[in-house]
DNA sequence: AAACAGTCCACATAGTTGGTAGGATAGGCT
DNA sequence: AGCCTATCCTACCAACTATGTGGACTGTTT
């Protein structure tokens, strides 16, 4: 399951996608409009900035805004940043691979199943972008 | 990600699938063969029994064994028992549904994305069974 | 300089995870 | 009946993660 943090991140990103190319948006505005605890949101946005998703400006007229066009930012990337691995097992993760203990990957049925799950999941998450966060008109 | 508990559960189930119709298997045997902490494994097997996946026998000659034919037990069922919801959000879970706060499901882009992920995932997990845990010959 | 708004660090608290201890319970055998 | 066996059950624990909060600091704008 996605953490609360991740859900907050997506709410914030949806808001920033709406406001794309309309200048910086205050953390406090996102917080009140999307009902996300202010200080918690601060941390999340900062993390997204460090991951190169957002850009920020300090001082009057400052705030956060999307660094790239929302249609270019994949949902999969966001999940990896705020929620961690997408795969259900470390040994089938593309971005967070870790060998599993006492388990020969070449002879592990679960391994194969989880690769299929990963591919099916990525097939969705890698094709959806921030644009898809907005409700259809 | 699947918890350690879930991974242990699958190891144990793989072993019991191998030994299907060969009588009860001791917890201690599974523990040593699959390198799963004994007491932890006890809890896991008990949970699987309560969930109607396993059957047990006490006393001499006792142990655990599969209640149904392994080809009839879906991997999805095991994940739900030992790991919880398969969906990435409560509001798109079939078996653990919970409405999300401050979020209109009919106008939530994330909701739609996660439904697609859920369906793609279930498409794999509902078609794989315990048999698929065993390595191909 | 003053107001503003993000940055950073430290902490608090609650809940989950992974694992252990010890005894209760029940079946099998002589 | 009485003993062995093996599961069943309750409680507990340490470590970690998730979810926040508080307060001081840095840089910008006017």
């Amino acid at each position: 399951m996605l953490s609360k943090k991740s859900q907050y991140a997506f709410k914030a990103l949806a808001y920033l996608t709406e406001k794309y190319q309309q200048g910086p948006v205050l953390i406090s505005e996102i917080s009140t409009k999307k009902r996300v605890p202010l200080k918690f949101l601060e941390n999340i946005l900062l993390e997204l900035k460090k991951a190169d998703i957002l850009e920020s400006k300090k001082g009057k007229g400052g705030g956060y805004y999307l660094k790239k066009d929302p249609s270019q930012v994949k949902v999969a990337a966001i999940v990896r940043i705020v929620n961690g691995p997408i795969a259900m097992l470390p040994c089938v993760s593309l971005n967070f691979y870790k060998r599993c203990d006492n388990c020969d990957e070449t002879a592990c049925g679960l391994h194969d199943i989880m690769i299929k799950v990963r591919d099916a999941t990525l097939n969705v998450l890698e094709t959806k972008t921030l644009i898809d966060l907005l409700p259809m008109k």
Side-chain angles (χ1 to χ4, degrees), chain A residues 9-62:
Chain A
F10 279 114
K11 284 192 180 194
L13 287 169
Y15 193 75
L16 290 175
T17 298
E18 274 182 60
K19 305 281 184 185
Y20 183 56
Q21 280 179 334
Q22 296 176 32
V25 182
L26 294 180
I27 302 180
S28 57
E29 180 183 340
I30 305 173
S31 169
T32 52
K33 286 286 172 55
K34 288 295 186 173
R35 309 236 179 134
V36 177
L38 179 65
K39 293 295 286 181
F40 199 9
L41 184 58
E42 265 186 34
N43 300 332
I44 297 169
L45 296 180
L46 192 54
E47 196 171 345
L48 287 170
K49 181 194 172 179
K50 287 178 179 164
D52 231 44
I53 304 294
L54 299 179
E55 199 49 84
S56 68
K57 223 185 142 208
K58 286 182 178 179
K60 179 147 195 175

Side-chain angles (χ1 to χ4, degrees), chain A residues 7-124:
Chain A
Q7 297 179 49
Y8 290 158
F10 279 114
K11 284 192 180 194
L13 287 169
Y15 193 75
L16 290 175
T17 298
E18 274 182 60
K19 305 281 184 185
Y20 183 56
Q21 280 179 334
Q22 296 176 32
V25 182
L26 294 180
I27 302 180
S28 57
E29 180 183 340
I30 305 173
S31 169
T32 52
K33 286 286 172 55
K34 288 295 186 173
R35 309 236 179 134
V36 177
L38 179 65
K39 293 295 286 181
F40 199 9
L41 184 58
E42 265 186 34
N43 300 332
I44 297 169
L45 296 180
L46 192 54
E47 196 171 345
L48 287 170
K49 181 194 172 179
K50 287 178 179 164
D52 231 44
I53 304 294
L54 299 179
E55 199 49 84
S56 68
K57 223 185 142 208
K58 286 182 178 179
K60 179 147 195 175
Y64 275 99
Y65 52 97
L66 289 172
K67 190 166 185 177
K68 309 167 201 164
D69 190 290
S71 67
Q72 301 304 318
V73 183
K74 296 173 186 172
V75 172
I78 306 302
V79 171
R80 291 198 179 101
I81 293 164
V82 272
N83 208 70
I86 289 171
M88 297 187 88
L89 288 178
C91 64
V92 300
S93 174
L94 295 174
N95 291 258
F96 299 83
Y97 176 82
K98 275 198 70 174
R99 182 187 97 261
C100 40
D101 310 332
N102 320 317
C103 161
D104 178 8
E105 281 178 29
T106 63
C108 174
L110 190 59
H111 183 84
D112 296 350
I113 295 172
M114 292 310 168
I115 283 189
K116 289 210 168 64
V117 171
R118 180 203 67 192
D119 289 344
T121 303
L122 285 182
N123 192 39
V124 177

